[in-house]
Amino acid sequence: MSADKEIKFSDDAYALVQKIIKRYPEGKQKSALIPVLHVAQAEFNGWLSAPVMDYVASLLNITSIEVYEVASFYTMFNLKPVGKCVIEVCRTGPCWLMGAEDLVKYLEKKLDIKEGQTTADGMFTLKTAECLASCGTAPMMQIGEKYHENLTLNKVDQILDECRATVIEPISHWSKKEIKA
Amino acid sequence: MGRKLLTENINVPGIQSLSVYRQQGGYETLKKALGMTSDAIVEEVKKSGLRGRGGAGFPTGMKWSFLAKPEGVPRHLVCNADESEPGTFKDRYMMERIPHLLIEGMAIGSFALGAHSSYIYIRGEMMYVFHILQRAIDEAYEAGLLGKNIMGSGYDFDLYVHCGAGAYICGEETALIESLEGKRGNPRIKPPFPAIKGLWERPTVVNNVESIMAVVPIIKMGGDEYAKIGIGKSTGTKLISACGHINKPGVYEIELGVPVEEFIYSDEYCGGIRNGKELKAVVAGGSSVPVLPKDLILKLANGEPRLMSYESLSEGGFATGTMLGSGGFIVMDEDTSIVKNLWTFTRFYHHESCGQCSPCREGTGWMEKLLHKILDGHGTLSDVDLLWEIQSKIEGKTICPLGDAAAWPVASAIRHFRHEFEEYVKNPQNIKKDHHYYRVNNISPEFA
Ligand SMILES: Cc1cc2nc3c(=O)[nH]c(=O)nc-3n(C[C@H](O)[C@H](O)[C@H](O)COP(=O)(O)O)c2cc1C
Ligand code: SF4
Ligand code: FES
């Protein structure tokens, strides 16, 4: 992020953040931190840079370190740039029993990247996740807010094609559509 | 067919919406509760024998009666919708399909506890369910079921939904509270217990989604009626999320006391093992509980059938038993590598340890490495002994039960499947073959 570009939420996001803060008692606005970081991640290209975290700190009237220590604790927050579609494949026991390991290998091969990496065109980042409470429909993966369940390799191909065809800006867990809602 | 108290209307088209939920009698129980005294509600929950459905099985009515009520200090009910225990997917299933049941339960529970604002803490990965809940809450506000003077009762109640951001440990109730305060999910040292000092140092009750939902049928039918369902001290119904190598994975509401064998093999539930294979082992209550081989999960040591109940599943202690836990029922067929499955669990606990206690932080990592070494074909017999020793030094020596949860799967796998570890150590050339597990459907040739 260039230093001269001002970091600021869109009007919709700003209004949403104000609404979120009101969910907690007065003086306890720090409680809003995690939801607000999700909104920030959605607003600023799918990841949290230090300036973005500082901005969130200023909105919540807390110190930057309080934001950094939280952002670095939770796996859903990306502290480095990511692709437009972050693919999170569940790898825990129940999904492993149903072939999650093959699924990861297949995606690595198909996208020509290793787990944790981003494709050269900036389209996909491949991550693994721990149990996403979808074990009965394993194997599964998540992209943005969407759960893709009962996966087959054909389905995976279709999903990747669809992402390539439709996704123009980074998708986050807290979707842009929900920020506007 | 067993009785369905929570899932009775789950397939009614449109039940996600307030209008259909109300057509099916939704919020009538809240109305009834608002006409009762809070003590009377707590009494019904006590009589029902309901035990916490989040995993620990602590009696809900008793937990509610422990809540401190200092003058002038607000108190809160917090719903634990963090659902991250591997194998468990019942809460997501319910919240997604019938969100108003949770809202109704939260309103009744909060009224009983004298809480005027309460929170649902849902894991961040389930963001779409977070929005479903938020929309349902908005609907309920518009209909006067939440907010000021709900249903004309004079009781003011605000309900909020809050999301996490990926951390299993935030399912532990004090870590959840820390997280809800906008901090890292580090469990607190107890005492003080949340009932005395919880969210923002206020008295707090944390309950699982299913526990809170179960309060609705309990108040509707009365605690005594509810207690007639089930077996012994395992009263009522329980949601079991069944997964792994079975014909019909899914969420089943059972009357506690169904024989395990019936649960696995009958068409009403899991429908037997996939592809005509034999059952090898089951993890009956989420990844944290001990794994049991076929003969021990189906039958007690005395040969009687084991039942799906708190008592029967734990019969025999850890020597021959396990736990009902969260109801995450993971089934493994004859081709499954117990060692490799265990490695995925241990990797999970290592990844999820918050790092506050050395035995958990270091021990989970050592165990993961040892299992990896064995699976890589470089294990020795003393590694198996070392694994055993490490797990025994974690259990009971940590701030929160995640340490125990990491130790039990390792201990039980060695206890019941030591031969498999030894085989891997003695004949590493066989490991690859033994790794057989289900392949993703339609596998392309290069992955076959
Ligand atoms: C590591 C760990 C993870 C837990 N995860 C959950 C969870 O996801 N959901 C849940 O309801 N309880 C979870 N629990 C149990 C909670 O600490 C707490 O006992 C429970 O929410 C109480 O609700 P109940 O009495 O209604 O079961 C977890 C406990 C531990 C130690
Ligand atoms: S047992 Fe593990 S997860 Fe629990 S507080 Fe200690 S280090 Fe953290
Ligand atoms: S193990 Fe993958 S969703 Fe539970």
Side-chain angles (χ1 to χ4, degrees):
Chain A
M1 193 141 319
S2 62
D4 46 334
K5 193 169 164 210
E6 198 191 357
I7 292 170
K8 205 168 159 253
F9 277 141
S10 64
D11 291 347
D12 286 331
Y14 188 81
L16 174 61
V17 166
Q18 296 311 316
K19 224 162 97 179
I20 293 171
I21 293 172
K22 288 210 189 73
R23 291 178 190 162
Y24 311 94
E26 219 166 315
K28 307 294 181 196
Q29 77 286 354
K30 182 174 171 176
S31 281
L33 178 54
I34 291 174
V36 172
L37 283 176
H38 278 297
V39 176
Q41 190 156 280
E43 286 277 289
F44 302 107
N45 294 311
W47 72 290
L48 300 170
S49 64
V52 164
M53 291 190 274
D54 296 343
Y55 173 63
V56 167
S58 70
L59 285 180
L60 294 180
N61 204 12
I62 56 179
T63 59
S64 292
I65 186 70
E66 289 175 279
V67 181
Y68 304 161
E69 64 176 9
V70 164
S72 60
F73 184 84
Y74 296 91
T75 57
M76 290 175 75
F77 296 131
N78 301 310
L79 302 181
K80 288 198 202 109
V82 287
K84 288 182 186 144
C85 300
V86 180
I87 302 175
E88 290 160 303
V89 186
C90 174
R91 66 179 190 180
T92 320
C95 277
W96 172 76
L97 290 171
M98 301 303 282
E101 194 169 292
D102 279 350
L103 188 60
V104 174
K105 277 193 210 145
Y106 182 74
L107 280 161
E108 285 185 336
K109 191 160 178 180
K110 180 123 188 162
L111 299 172
D112 197 22
I113 50 174
K114 290 272 163 234
E115 184 197 323
Q117 296 178 337
T118 300
T119 53
D121 62 0
M123 192 67 206
F124 296 105
T125 297
L126 181 62
K127 281 172 81 171
T128 50
E130 298 293 356
C131 181
L132 292 169
S134 188
C135 330
T137 45
M140 65 81 62
M141 63 189 195
Q142 174 166 26
I143 302 176
E145 67 169 3
K146 184 147 176 57
Y147 276 37
H148 298 275
E149 303 169 61
N150 290 311
L151 288 174
T152 63
L153 297 188
N154 282 343
K155 266 200 204 173
V156 170
D157 290 347
Q158 277 168 25
I159 293 163
L160 296 183
D161 287 344
E162 203 183 303
C163 287
R164 286 197 189 91
T166 58
V167 176
I168 34 181
E169 54 172 357
I171 43 181
S172 290
H173 296 98
W174 198 311
S175 68
K176 284 267 162 79
K177 195 180 92 218
E178 293 290 354
I179 289 177
K180 288 201 178 73
Chain B
M1 282 285 272
R3 288 181 67 176
K4 309 280 182 242
L5 304 179
L6 303 176
T7 57
E8 193 182 3
N9 295 324
I10 200 112
N11 292 318
V12 174
I15 194 73
Q16 218 191 43
S17 72
L18 178 62
S19 56
V20 177
Y21 182 73
R22 288 195 94 169
Q23 275 161 29
Q24 300 298 322
Y27 290 102
E28 288 303 312
T29 310
L30 172 59
K31 196 168 188 180
K32 175 176 175 182
L34 292 170
M36 296 164 69
T37 64
S38 44
D39 286 348
I41 298 173
V42 175
E43 199 47 43
E44 290 304 320
V45 175
K46 273 190 181 163
K47 280 197 281 190
S48 75
L50 175 68
R51 292 163 68 173
R53 303 299 196 219
F58 191 83
T60 306
M62 206 190 295
K63 188 188 256 188
W64 286 12
S65 64
F66 289 158
L67 184 69
K69 296 183 174 165
E71 216 30 65
V73 182
R75 37 191 186 264
H76 303 283
L77 173 60
V78 174
C79 172
N80 188 341
D82 191 58
E83 193 170 53
S84 316
E85 170 88 0
T88 316
F89 48 97
K90 63 190 176 73
D91 298 339
R92 175 170 82 98
Y93 176 90
M94 294 300 290
M95 291 187 289
E96 178 176 354
R97 285 167 180 77
I98 188 161
H100 284 286
L101 183 59
L102 180 58
I103 297 173
E104 186 171 5
M106 284 298 286
I108 297 171
S110 299
F111 178 68
L113 296 169
H116 291 280
S117 60
S118 291
Y119 292 84
I120 300 170
Y121 180 105
I122 187 166
R123 65 183 293 188
E125 293 92 333
M126 296 185 195
M127 194 64 85
Y128 76 99
V129 186
F130 169 88
H131 296 307
I132 288 171
L133 287 171
Q134 184 60 58
R135 274 188 271 280
I137 288 173
D138 293 345
E139 272 184 304
Y141 267 102
E142 270 168 40
L145 301 165
L146 292 174
K148 291 255 172 283
N149 185 22
I150 65 173
M151 296 181 112
S153 63
Y155 170 58
D156 298 339
F157 175 57
D158 286 309
L159 180 61
Y160 304 100
V161 53
H162 176 96
C163 59
Y168 166 66
I169 191 57
C170 291
E172 194 281 334
E173 57 185 12
T174 61
L176 184 149
I177 289 170
E178 286 284 300
S179 183
L180 189 40
E181 292 183 358
K183 303 180 199 152
R184 296 164 77 95
N186 289 339
R188 295 177 179 171
I189 294 173
K190 297 188 247 189
F193 288 91
I196 314 294
K197 271 191 178 165
L199 182 59
W200 305 306
E201 305 230 313
R202 300 165 177 180
T204 304
V205 167
V206 180
N207 272 132
N208 172 257
V209 170
E210 185 186 347
S211 313
I212 291 168
M213 286 182 168
V215 169
V216 179
I218 288 168
I219 298 306
K220 185 175 174 185
M221 71 202 312
D224 286 332
E225 277 306 301
Y226 184 90
K228 286 184 192 158
I229 302 168
I231 182 163
K233 281 191 183 160
S234 294
T235 60
T237 64
K238 173 85 188 84
L239 298 169
I240 307 289
S241 59
C243 61
H245 301 145
I246 46 177
N247 282 315
K248 291 169 54 195
V251 176
Y252 297 100
E253 182 173 9
I254 61 162
E255 286 189 21
L256 285 163
V258 172
V260 175
E261 186 154 9
E262 181 184 337
F263 184 71
I264 296 176
Y265 291 100
S266 91
D267 280 335
E268 195 181 333
Y269 305 114
C270 303
I273 310 302
R274 280 166 59 135
N275 302 339
K277 296 279 184 185
E278 278 291 318
L279 172 63
K280 179 172 185 176
V282 172
V283 176
S287 61
S288 305
V289 311
V291 61
L292 288 185
K294 175 178 177 176
D295 42 327
L296 288 179
I297 187 69
L298 297 181
K299 298 229 176 342
L300 302 174
N302 65 9
E304 280 176 30
R306 200 183 281 279
L307 310 178
M308 300 285 285
S309 72
Y310 292 94
E311 292 74 22
S312 187
L313 281 168
S314 58
E315 173 90 34
F318 280 1
T320 56
T322 179
M323 281 154 71
L324 180 64
S326 62
F329 197 85
I330 309 167
V331 180
M332 290 171 257
D333 77 7
E334 56 187 304
D335 295 330
T336 309
S337 163
I338 295 291
V339 183
K340 183 131 190 203
N341 184 67
L342 174 64
W343 171 68
T344 75
F345 284 174
T346 305
R347 177 178 63 180
F348 168 82
Y349 291 109
H350 181 214
H351 185 261
E352 301 301 331
S353 168
C354 84
Q356 286 190 106
C357 329
S358 315
C360 171
R361 183 188 61 239
E362 304 301 325
T364 52
W366 292 348
M367 293 195 300
E368 186 198 339
K369 281 195 190 122
L370 281 167
L371 285 164
H372 197 266
K373 182 180 171 196
I374 294 171
L375 284 163
D376 246 6
H378 304 299
T380 62
L381 284 178
S382 66
D383 287 335
V384 185
D385 295 330
L386 185 56
L387 259 178
W388 180 267
E389 200 184 317
I390 296 171
Q391 69 76 24
S392 73
K393 291 194 168 147
I394 301 176
E395 190 187 353
K397 297 181 177 62
T398 57
I399 293 175
C400 93
L402 186 140
D404 304 343
W408 295 339
V410 175
S412 57
I414 299 178
R415 188 180 296 120
H416 302 300
F417 295 94
R418 194 177 181 103
H419 54 278
E420 205 171 298
F421 290 81
E422 292 182 351
E423 171 66 15
Y424 279 22
V425 168
K426 288 181 194 151
N427 296 306
Q429 71 281 6
N430 291 344
I431 292 177
K432 200 81 195 155
K433 197 165 83 217
D434 268 349
H435 265 193
H436 183 94
Y437 46 84
Y438 277 81
R439 299 258 161 194
V440 183
N441 300 330
N442 294 335
I443 200 93
S444 57
E446 69 263 42
F447 284 92

